Amino acid sequence: MLARQQGSGTQNRRIAWLAGYLLYLSLLLCLLALVYGAVKLYVLAKMEVVVSLTADDAGYFFKIAQNVVAGKGFTFDGINKTNGFQPLWLYALLPLAWLMRGASPEVFFRVALMYQVVLVVIAGIFFYYAIVSFTNRVISTITTVIFYLISTVWFLNGMESGVLLLCVSGLLAYSLRHQVFFDYQPKKAFILGLLLGLVLLARLDMIFLVIAMYLFISIWILWRFADRQWRQQQLKQVGLSLAGLGLVTVPYFLYNQLAFGALMPISGQLKNSFPHIVEVSFGPPRIPRQVTMLLLMTMVICLTNLFLLRSSFFENLKHKYFIFLFIVFSFSILMHYLNTALFMKWAVFRWHFSIYSFVFCLGLVDVLIRLRFIVGRPIILWLTPLFTIAVSGLMLTRFDRMAKHTNWHAIAYKAAVWTRRHTPQDAILAMKDAGTFGFFSQRAVINLDGLVNNLEYQTALKERRLNEYLHAKGVQYLVQHAFISNDVNLRTVVYTSQNPLQVSTDVELVIAGNYERLQLQYRSQLYRTMSDPITVYRKDELYRSEPYPVEVSPYRTVLVIWKLQ
């Protein structure tokens, strides 16, 4: 009997070892699928495809990083100083920009995107490490695989999303390991503050995570610790964590205040109207439907956990601490959602909500734990590698679909290459949405929507001195990438040779090239006013792209470059 039991125990250990080996192998397969798909797309695909899959604003980061390394400081155009960027992603790009000082913009662009892929891969490893620390490997593998799948949708865009994902995953892993504030650990509290500071610098609207974190910590201390001495120890930890947070973030905000006259970067000043509500919008086009669905599902799981906090459901302290963190993250994205709906007046993009998918993955972990009587069955253990294989195939299929996509960024890239070849190296241009064009043209391109400019430009728009401003900056060429009817940010007045005194706002005349001159007025997002008109002439067109579809309408448009008189 004893020998039979020993044999059965040995067999069970072998099965457990084999199952664990298969789980690790399936997770490795998912990682390889992600890296292979990214290499195939970002390294081997045509440049027109690569730029189309990347945010136009990514060009701002890449160009500013190159200018910093070249000794020009924080500037996109090499002329105007700016702080219109998320700082941590820019800092992370500086070593890459230094190592690739002599590389072509195309090579740098591809390498920077793969650099982001590496950050996402490391973030997923942190995520797995965090989850497996308090639950089983099946749940950790399933959620990490889904984490990587979602990453291909939300985090690989050339923007700060990758470094943000790395920071929040690191924060999650460190917090779960040490369970700061559930015990007296002053050094760990200080390090937690440092990590929170990195998260905030990764994306400044993560201030809502900082607010939620300290709000719930305060509630926890007041609710849980009746002993005065213990409460004082916890308050000391709060102070130390705030010191760590300040050590990381205060230099950045102090620099903004001293150099630019405001704590918030120029991009934030242009986009956010807080505390004034300009226009309330809880739906498209400001907030995509899938974002709202992610938030609703996350909040349902969060509210369920709030009711269970005092119950015996939580099997260990780490699990309870995980739920605490999940609730903090959930309320932070709720505050972000409300801020976006109430105070964001312009330029809200999908990657601004990337943290929602991360928090949803945390909620998915909780759901699977609740179903542990199912995931604990042996059949689920063996089905998990099959699930991972299916997700890996889905990931590769998605990369293949992405490789067939192009948009106006490809048009801007072609125009940039033309500019690089046909204009002097010291040429100065001006353009709205200038990230892709400015980076690949290797010319000084002043940004006319103001995101990577400064308050001097906004003042010129407000005082209707745009022509004077452009002349003072030495601008020789004007670029416009799209003409759209009823564009609130660019007012176009058309004069034709047939009726030189008749005014028209029909942009189809511009797209067809049937005009004599145009008057273009640019909007100040800070002051919500229009500039004085800039006049350009059909005879001064140097470059005109082929017509291409406009994503926000059923019409077609063109990109045009004029030489200014």
Side-chain angles (χ1 to χ4, degrees):
M1 177 69 70
L2 181 61
R4 187 181 304 162
Q5 289 178 346
Q6 289 176 342
S8 176
T10 302
Q11 183 178 8
N12 288 337
R13 285 194 297 272
R14 288 176 179 174
I15 293 175
W17 178 87
L18 178 61
Y21 177 78
L22 286 176
L23 288 176
Y24 284 128
L25 193 62
S26 63
L27 190 57
L28 178 61
L29 175 66
C30 180
L31 272 173
L32 291 175
L34 173 61
V35 174
Y36 173 78
V39 169
K40 186 177 178 181
L41 188 61
Y42 299 130
V43 177
L44 303 178
K46 292 182 178 179
M47 204 66 222
E48 289 82 357
V49 172
V50 177
V51 297
S52 295
L53 296 172
T54 309
D56 180 68
D57 289 8
Y60 295 147
F61 283 95
F62 300 163
K63 187 64 177 179
I64 294 172
Q66 288 182 332
N67 283 334
V68 171
V69 169
K72 299 178 182 178
F74 294 113
T75 174
F76 171 69
D77 50 35
I79 300 170
N80 300 290
K81 299 299 181 183
T82 189
N83 61 350
F85 49 83
Q86 302 292 345
L88 192 59
W89 179 222
L90 182 67
Y91 302 157
L93 285 168
L94 294 180
L96 188 66
W98 185 83
L99 289 172
M100 303 188 66
R101 295 188 299 279
S104 70
E106 285 81 2
V107 172
F108 181 89
F109 201 87
R110 293 179 188 273
V111 173
L113 292 177
M114 288 306 302
Y115 179 37
Q116 186 180 54
V117 172
V118 171
L119 297 182
V120 170
V121 168
I122 297 172
I125 295 172
F126 282 163
F127 182 86
Y128 179 87
Y129 172 79
I131 305 307
V132 82
S133 68
F134 69 94
T135 187
N136 62 55
R137 285 178 291 181
V138 171
I139 293 176
S140 303
T141 301
I142 292 174
T143 51
T144 303
V145 167
I146 295 174
F147 174 94
Y148 279 129
L149 177 63
I150 292 176
S151 296
T152 65
V153 181
W154 293 90
F155 292 98
L156 301 180
N157 52 14
M159 297 298 292
E160 69 280 350
S161 306
V163 75
L164 172 62
L165 183 61
L166 178 64
C167 288
V168 293
S169 298
L171 176 68
L172 176 71
Y174 184 84
S175 300
L176 282 171
R177 179 181 180 184
H178 298 290
Q179 302 160 60
V180 183
F181 299 110
F182 273 32
D183 200 354
Y184 183 59
Q185 307 174 87
K187 291 182 179 179
K188 302 297 188 297
F190 179 75
I191 295 174
L192 181 71
L194 295 176
L195 292 174
L196 268 176
L198 290 176
V199 170
L200 182 57
L201 292 185
R203 183 161 179 85
L204 295 176
D205 57 14
M206 293 302 290
I207 185 65
F208 297 113
L209 176 62
V210 175
I211 293 172
M213 177 70 78
Y214 286 105
L215 173 64
F216 279 91
I217 286 172
S218 300
I219 294 172
W220 166 255
I221 292 173
L222 293 173
W223 173 41
R224 173 67 178 83
F225 302 112
D227 182 80
R228 182 177 179 181
Q229 181 181 359
W230 186 249
R231 185 176 295 175
Q232 287 177 345
Q233 289 178 335
Q234 295 304 314
L235 290 176
K236 179 182 177 180
Q237 290 197 124
V238 170
L240 287 170
S241 66
L242 286 171
L245 173 67
L247 184 65
V248 173
T249 60
V250 167
Y252 167 74
F253 290 111
L254 185 61
Y255 166 76
N256 283 348
Q257 183 65 47
L258 295 176
F260 297 95
L263 294 176
M264 186 181 295
I266 184 65
S267 51
Q269 294 180 61
L270 298 186
K271 294 177 181 180
N272 199 293
S273 65
F274 183 83
H276 308 290
I277 298 176
V278 176
E279 178 185 358
V280 178
S281 176
F282 285 92
R286 186 178 298 180
I287 303 178
R289 289 187 181 90
Q290 58 266 42
V291 168
T292 302
M293 291 302 299
L294 279 176
L295 177 70
L296 289 175
M297 289 187 290
T298 302
M299 291 310 299
V300 167
I301 303 170
C302 174
L303 293 175
T304 302
N305 278 295
L306 275 175
F307 287 114
L308 291 173
L309 272 179
R310 299 192 63 146
S311 72
S312 59
F313 167 77
F314 307 104
E315 296 177 344
N316 56 62
L317 192 60
K318 278 193 176 182
H319 183 198
K320 196 162 189 174
Y321 195 86
F322 168 79
I323 294 303
F324 167 76
L325 291 175
F326 171 62
I327 292 172
V328 168
F329 272 102
S330 299
F331 273 85
S332 73
I333 64 171
L334 177 61
M335 287 189 286
H336 178 274
Y337 185 87
L338 294 175
N339 174 72
T340 303
L342 298 177
F343 303 112
M344 294 297 287
K345 57 187 178 181
W346 172 63
V348 179
F349 298 106
R350 181 178 178 140
W351 65 82
H352 296 175
F353 306 97
S354 56
I355 190 65
Y356 290 44
S357 60
F358 176 84
V359 183
F360 173 73
C361 285
L362 299 184
L364 186 60
V365 171
D366 182 60
V367 170
L368 292 177
I369 290 175
R370 293 181 186 283
L371 299 176
R372 62 193 183 282
F373 60 91
I374 294 178
V375 299
R377 293 178 180 175
I379 188 171
I380 301 298
L381 184 65
W382 299 108
L383 286 178
T384 300
L386 297 179
F387 169 78
T388 304
I389 293 171
V391 170
S392 300
L394 180 62
M395 193 182 298
L396 291 174
T397 302
R398 174 172 173 76
F399 277 122
D400 287 338
R401 288 200 308 268
M402 292 166 66
K404 301 176 182 178
H405 173 75
T406 58
N407 58 18
W408 75 268
H409 301 172
I411 302 297
Y413 169 71
K414 292 178 181 179
V417 172
W418 182 91
T419 301
R420 198 164 71 201
R421 293 172 178 170
H422 294 88
T423 60
Q425 288 189 355
D426 60 352
I428 301 176
L429 303 92
M431 179 187 181
K432 287 172 79 276
D433 301 305
T436 301
F437 182 87
F439 176 74
F440 285 105
S441 66
Q442 294 186 303
R443 299 293 182 266
V445 182
I446 294 177
N447 170 234
L448 294 182
D449 49 36
L451 286 175
V452 286
N453 209 310
N454 51 45
L455 288 176
E456 179 192 1
Y457 173 63
Q458 295 300 316
T459 302
L461 293 176
K462 177 187 177 182
E463 297 177 354
R464 298 177 65 84
R465 296 187 293 102
L466 180 56
N467 282 277
E468 177 187 331
Y469 176 88
L470 296 181
H471 179 74
K473 299 296 180 180
V475 175
Q476 303 154 296
Y477 306 90
L478 184 68
V479 187
Q480 177 55 33
H481 78 276
F483 299 90
I484 303 172
S485 299
N486 303 317
D487 187 346
V488 297
N489 297 315
L490 178 69
R491 185 178 298 160
T492 305
V493 178
V494 185
Y495 297 87
T496 64
S497 56
Q498 291 81 6
N499 298 290
L501 299 179
Q502 184 176 347
V503 175
S504 173
T505 58
D506 184 5
V507 296
E508 290 298 322
L509 294 171
V510 184
I511 296 167
N514 297 326
Y515 71 96
E516 180 182 38
R517 70 183 189 276
L518 302 178
Q519 287 187 341
L520 303 175
Q521 290 178 276
Y522 293 82
R523 184 178 183 84
S524 167
Q525 299 296 340
L526 183 63
Y527 299 110
R528 303 183 70 81
T529 58
M530 300 302 292
S531 73
D532 53 312
I534 299 175
T535 302
V536 291
Y537 297 86
R538 178 69 173 89
K539 63 182 178 64
D540 291 329
E541 281 191 13
L542 299 180
Y543 178 90
R544 170 179 284 260
S545 74
E546 68 272 19
Y548 67 93
V550 180
E551 295 179 359
V552 296
S553 76
Y555 304 106
R556 297 173 72 81
T557 189
V558 292
L559 182 150
V560 179
I561 302 176
W562 297 274
K563 185 169 179 58
L564 295 178
Q565 294 189 354

